[in-house]
Amino acid sequence: MSAPASSALDVHPLCLGGNVFGWTADDAASFAVLDRYTGAGGNFVDTADVYSAWVPGHEGGESEAVIGRWLAQRGGADGVQIATKVGMNAASGFHNLKPETVTAACDASLERLGVERIDLYYAHRDDTDVPLEESLGAFDALVKAGKVAHIGVSNVPPDRLREMVAVTKAEGYAPIAALQPAYNLLDRAGFEDELQAICAENDIACVPYYGLAMGFLTGKYTQESVAADIDSPRAKGAIKTYAGNERTWVTLDALRVIAAERSVPVAAVALAWLHGRDTVLAPIASARTVEQLDDLLPFVGLELTADEVAALDAASAA
Ligand SMILES: NC(=O)c1ccc[n+]([C@@H]2O[C@H](COP(=O)([O-])OP(=O)(O)OC[C@H]3O[C@@H](n4cnc5c(N)ncnc54)[C@H](OP(=O)(O)O)[C@@H]3O)[C@@H](O)[C@H]2O)c1
């Protein structure tokens, strides 16, 4: 049904989000989640040098450091592919995509992770102050140096993604293997309107973040709940973003019907829908406990029927 995602990456269907590590999950909880994920066959972990700089007393790099300690404890990466990002860490001075920033930030990430190579290295954002030949040239140099296997970009508008692809081709740089946009049942247009076609045309895999719409697509938020009722440090922000839209509740109702019929968690249906979209390689979702992760993993292998997909499409477009 769906167009294949990029051929460059060979990963598990769930990309485990790492922004919780060092934020809402301490070392013990993070290690438990990572152990459960890899125990279930997972091999694709997403982080960034800026996670979790928003926590008072942190300066970014905490998530990578947790992952690094976990990798060290288990004796190395051994097939686990780590994606990380550069360009948004103001505290370290790495809040841009100047070549010297990309190079230095990569070394810092490699050190925190304790690995010799980053499997997928993203530009975390666009930086129009730096010519693309220079920023993408720095990423290409990291590939040539063996410090990075694949290049990705995140949070870029369609016209800039087109330009980036053109520059990598014109300069003979390593191709852009992945795009990381916000994309889920409640946030569709930003990716589907234009970016999706660009990905399809250029063999770029979509690795969408906010796969669970900050937890909304687990079904734990209801129209009656207020932030104080929800066990989540991010409840306020999630409610502010999604609760005011009628479409949210219509979509959740449609998810609940399918989840009940299939005897799987609501979150698993939401991730199965996302995984089935054209060019989507692996949705990213985070879990701060093993129990949360156990609700997500059943999406692997869950093939929605055409009627189920149509019901979710209709509800989320309402
Ligand atoms: N490229 C970018 O700019 C960008 C931006 C944001 C995120 N990301 C990446 O995408 C990943 C995912 O984003 P995200 O974690 O913000 O959002 P998300 O995956 O949409 O939501 C995950 C959150 O939902 C809650 N949750 C998960 N499973 C649950 C369950 N079974 N029951 C109840 N609640 C559950 C947990 O938060 P609570 O328990 O706290 O509610 C969890 O942290 C991040 O870790 C990061 O790697 C990238």
Side-chain angles (χ1 to χ4, degrees), residues 185-207:
L185 263 169
L186 303 179
D187 299 291
R188 295 181 53 180
F191 177 67
E192 291 179 0
D193 282 358
E194 285 187 69
L195 289 169
Q196 192 167 32
I198 303 171
C199 286
E201 282 159 22
N202 295 285
D203 195 26
I204 297 173
C206 172
V207 184

Side-chain angles (χ1 to χ4, degrees), residues 23-306:
W23 173 30
T24 57
D26 61 13
D27 268 28
S30 304
F31 285 22
V33 166
L34 285 158
D35 284 341
R36 177 75 116 234
Y37 171 69
T38 48
N43 69 349
F44 191 22
V45 179
D46 185 79
T47 184
D49 68 344
V50 70
Y51 302 162
S52 50
W54 54 87
V55 176
H58 286 195
E59 55 184 31
E62 290 79 12
S63 168
E64 289 179 335
V66 171
I67 295 166
R69 287 193 289 277
W70 173 75
L71 288 175
Q73 189 201 54
R74 70 196 292 277
D78 190 27
V80 177
Q81 303 190 43
I82 307 289
T84 190
K85 317 183 191 80
V86 55
M88 290 183 71
N89 193 356
S92 65
F94 296 156
H95 195 253
N96 58 67
L97 296 178
K98 290 178 185 164
E100 58 271 29
T101 298
V102 173
T103 308
C106 179
D107 283 342
S109 288
L110 285 168
E111 192 169 332
R112 281 189 292 265
L113 289 163
V115 296
E116 287 179 4
R117 194 179 69 159
I118 291 163
D119 297 287
L120 176 57
Y121 200 38
Y122 291 99
H124 207 157
R125 65 180 186 99
D126 194 8
D127 183 352
T128 52
D129 292 335
V130 181
L132 286 174
E133 287 76 6
E134 292 180 21
S135 52
L136 291 169
F139 279 90
D140 181 63
L142 292 172
V143 173
K144 292 202 166 80
K147 294 182 178 184
V148 165
H150 298 288
I151 288 169
V153 295
S154 182
N155 302 312
V156 296
D159 56 334
R160 291 286 286 174
L161 183 58
R162 279 192 201 93
E163 280 179 52
M164 290 170 184
V165 169
V167 168
T168 56
K169 284 183 181 162
E171 301 293 326
Y173 292 162
I176 293 166
L179 171 72
Q180 188 174 134
Y183 182 37
N184 60 59
L185 263 169
L186 303 179
D187 299 291
R188 295 181 53 180
F191 177 67
E192 291 179 0
D193 282 358
E194 285 187 69
L195 289 169
Q196 192 167 32
I198 303 171
C199 286
E201 282 159 22
N202 295 285
D203 195 26
I204 297 173
C206 172
V207 184
Y209 71 82
Y210 286 162
L212 298 172
M214 299 181 196
F216 246 88
L217 293 173
T218 65
K220 70 177 169 180
Y221 294 89
T222 67
Q223 262 171 307
E224 294 75 37
S225 60
V226 290
D229 297 334
I230 304 292
D231 169 28
S232 168
R234 64 170 88 197
K236 247 182 165 168
I239 288 174
K240 195 170 162 209
T241 307
Y242 294 109
N245 193 337
E246 183 57 24
R247 197 166 53 89
T248 296
W249 307 112
V250 175
T251 305
L252 277 169
D253 284 347
L255 282 169
R256 286 195 182 97
V257 168
I258 298 168
E261 282 169 1
R262 297 291 205 112
S263 302
V264 292
V266 167
V269 180
L271 293 175
W273 177 87
L274 192 53
H275 188 236
R277 310 308 287 179
D278 280 359
T279 73
V280 171
L281 175 70
I284 312 175
S286 65
R288 67 183 157 102
T289 65
V290 165
E291 291 72 27
Q292 287 188 343
L293 180 62
D294 285 346
D295 268 1
L296 314 184
L297 286 168
F299 100 81
V300 178
L302 178 65
E303 289 280 340
L304 299 179
T305 65

